[in-house]
Amino acid sequence: MTPIDVNQLVFRSMTLDDVPTIVAIELESFATPWTEEAFVNELTNNHFARYMVMDLDGRIIGYAGMWTIMDEAHVTNVAVREPYRGQGLGERLMVELQRTAVMFGSRRMTLEVRVSNSIAQRLYKKLGFEPSGIRPGYYSDNMEDALIMWAELPVSAEVEQLYDDK
């Protein structure tokens, strides 16, 4: 596949019309994917929820979500369509999610990641996340533990400068 021109990517808020595509990406990406109902509920009933899509030429190729509560953001989902993986797009998506979290007043961000997922852990560490604990048996498909990671986010005046090179 031809490398993606990151200047062609568009990041926007997820809409209800996006949900079927998001569910398809979930099925490609996770052993225990979220359902259509879960995403509809997040978009319509959860006032803490912030979801975005990554669009390339009118096609959604990735998405990410978080809950912003007080000054903390909790990452709920991050996924890139299978054919587009390995090109740094997950990093672009996470950087955009961090920018958005700062815009909503977040100072810290947290997430859980499978202890066996070293690729994701490397990405998160690159973006300033540090391990802070374990959630035993967190993943229901195989009772795998989750590594809890936290990152301090820059204050809004520092955001563009910090992320411009990413």
Side-chain angles (χ1 to χ4, degrees), residues 26-136:
E26 277 280 303
L27 291 168
E28 286 177 10
S29 304
F30 301 111
T32 52
W34 282 24
T35 63
E36 181 174 337
E37 294 78 18
F39 283 104
V40 168
N41 185 58
E42 286 288 281
L43 295 175
T44 58
N45 298 320
N46 184 349
H47 66 276
F48 299 114
R50 314 276 179 243
Y51 285 84
M52 69 172 56
V53 298
M54 181 171 54
D55 185 290
L56 177 68
D57 298 327
R59 293 182 323 273
I60 297 171
I61 62 169
Y63 75 96
M66 67 183 162
W67 298 335
T68 54
I69 304 170
M70 304 294 284
D71 65 346
E72 293 180 355
H74 182 124
V75 177
T76 56
N77 321 60
V78 178
V80 173
R81 288 222 90 137
E82 199 166 14
Y84 298 94
R85 294 180 190 156
Q87 300 184 59
L89 298 175
E91 180 176 354
R92 296 285 307 172
L93 198 47
M94 281 298 298
V95 165
E96 228 19 72
L97 198 64
Q98 288 179 310
R99 285 180 175 156
T100 302
V102 170
M103 284 183 355
F104 279 97
S106 297
R107 301 297 307 268
R108 302 177 71 208
M109 182 176 263
T110 187
L111 55 80
E112 291 90 7
V113 59
R114 288 180 185 265
V115 294
S116 64
N117 192 343
S118 58
I119 293 170
Q121 289 176 38
R122 274 194 304 276
L123 168 61
Y124 299 143
K125 286 176 183 173
K126 181 178 179 183
L127 295 174
F129 286 85
E130 297 178 4
S132 68
I134 297 287
R135 292 198 199 285

Side-chain angles (χ1 to χ4, degrees), residues 114-115 134-147:
R114 288 180 185 265
V115 294
I134 297 287
R135 292 198 199 285
Y138 183 78
Y139 292 98
S140 59
D141 63 318
N142 64 359
M143 301 310 293
E144 184 175 356
D145 295 347
L147 178 64

